[in-house]
Amino acid sequence: MSRIKKTRKFAAVKRVIGQRDARLKKNQNKGEDNSKRKSKADDVVREIPQVSSSLFFQYNTALVPPYNVLIDTNFLSHTVQHKLELLSTMMDCLYAKCIPIITDCVMAELEKLGTKYRIALRIARDERWERLKCSHKGVYADDCLVDRVQKHKIYIVATNDRDLKRRVRKIPGVPIMSVARGKYVIERLPDAPEK
């Protein structure tokens, strides 16, 4: 006598619902939350930032001599290290009259740095430079400079800070001045003399 093979029939097998099945109530709630999030992300952008009227593609027509140069803390310290004179070296770089501008945030940052940067602070306090008042909270100079440049594209940003340079490069039409090889170097200024 042979043994009868017992096989289960397909319909007779009881199927189990998985934990991630969409028919479960807890998963239905998750699905609704996800759809709400997607609908928020897909909302139409109502406000597009206004492009400055002084820009002609990447060329900034508002930048004309005398140039307004926003000076960063880092730039002043590098100027002192390389023993460069601020105004005359700027004029040598741009072949035009320059107005160095120092914000309150940069002054506060220099004062915080202490005695190591006292010469840079003395240079910053010079009466010949223009001072800009800052009305915002906090004294983080990088945010202040980037914000000011985004609002008014009439400045050249003078900095040696890598992160600040990266942020300023994202703003079209704003040149960057930095200290390199014992002199000032300008980038992204179309009228700049080639050296």
Side-chain angles (χ1 to χ4, degrees):
M1 276 178 55
S2 68
R3 203 171 206 192
I4 299 172
K5 232 179 186 181
K6 218 175 184 183
T7 57
R8 287 187 177 176
K9 294 189 177 165
F10 179 73
V13 177
K14 201 170 190 182
R15 301 194 97 189
V16 180
I17 295 176
Q19 290 292 320
R20 295 185 180 169
D21 200 306
R23 293 172 288 184
L24 291 173
K25 241 183 190 166
K26 64 178 183 180
N27 293 337
Q28 286 175 351
N29 295 339
K30 285 182 185 175
E32 290 170 8
D33 293 341
N34 288 338
S35 64
K36 285 179 185 175
R37 285 186 197 142
K38 284 181 184 175
S39 67
K40 284 181 184 176
D42 294 339
D43 284 344
V44 180
V45 177
R46 299 269 181 228
E47 185 179 322
I48 297 171
Q50 185 69 37
V51 178
S52 176
S53 61
S54 64
L55 284 180
F56 178 73
F57 296 105
Q58 293 283 319
Y59 182 82
N60 191 351
T61 56
L63 275 173
V64 290
Y67 295 113
N68 295 317
V69 185
L70 278 176
I71 297 174
D72 186 32
T73 314
N74 202 292
F75 185 80
L76 278 170
S77 66
H78 278 270
T79 300
V80 170
Q81 281 176 4
H82 290 280
K83 296 181 177 137
L84 298 170
E85 194 172 328
L86 190 69
L87 191 61
S88 62
T89 317
M90 262 184 206
M91 287 184 174
D92 289 345
C93 176
L94 295 170
Y95 293 146
K97 188 172 188 259
C98 302
I99 303 167
I101 300 172
I102 297 171
T103 63
D104 287 344
C105 294
V106 171
M107 287 298 288
E109 206 172 86
L110 276 168
E111 287 165 1
K112 274 185 185 175
L113 290 171
T115 56
K116 190 177 177 185
Y117 294 89
R118 67 182 179 277
I119 299 168
L121 182 63
R122 186 177 292 167
I123 291 169
R125 283 191 177 141
D126 198 329
E127 295 295 319
R128 293 177 291 174
W129 322 144
E130 197 175 303
R131 290 289 300 274
L132 278 180
K133 299 284 180 208
C134 296
S135 57
H136 56 82
K137 290 182 180 177
V139 287
Y140 188 56
D142 292 6
D143 289 341
C144 173
L145 294 177
V146 168
D147 185 49
R148 201 172 286 274
V149 164
Q150 278 176 335
K151 285 179 185 169
H152 316 285
K153 290 182 172 58
I154 57 165
Y155 299 111
I156 295 173
V157 178
T159 183
N160 267 45
D161 187 1
R162 208 176 276 162
D163 295 329
L164 181 57
K165 277 185 183 179
R166 195 175 296 130
R167 286 171 70 182
V168 171
R169 280 188 192 113
K170 290 177 185 172
I171 307 166
V174 179
I176 302 168
M177 184 184 281
S178 56
V179 182
R181 299 180 298 278
K183 61 182 179 184
Y184 292 166
V185 178
I186 190 92
E187 72 178 71
R188 294 174 61 193
L189 184 68
D191 302 332
E194 296 296 323
K195 287 187 179 179

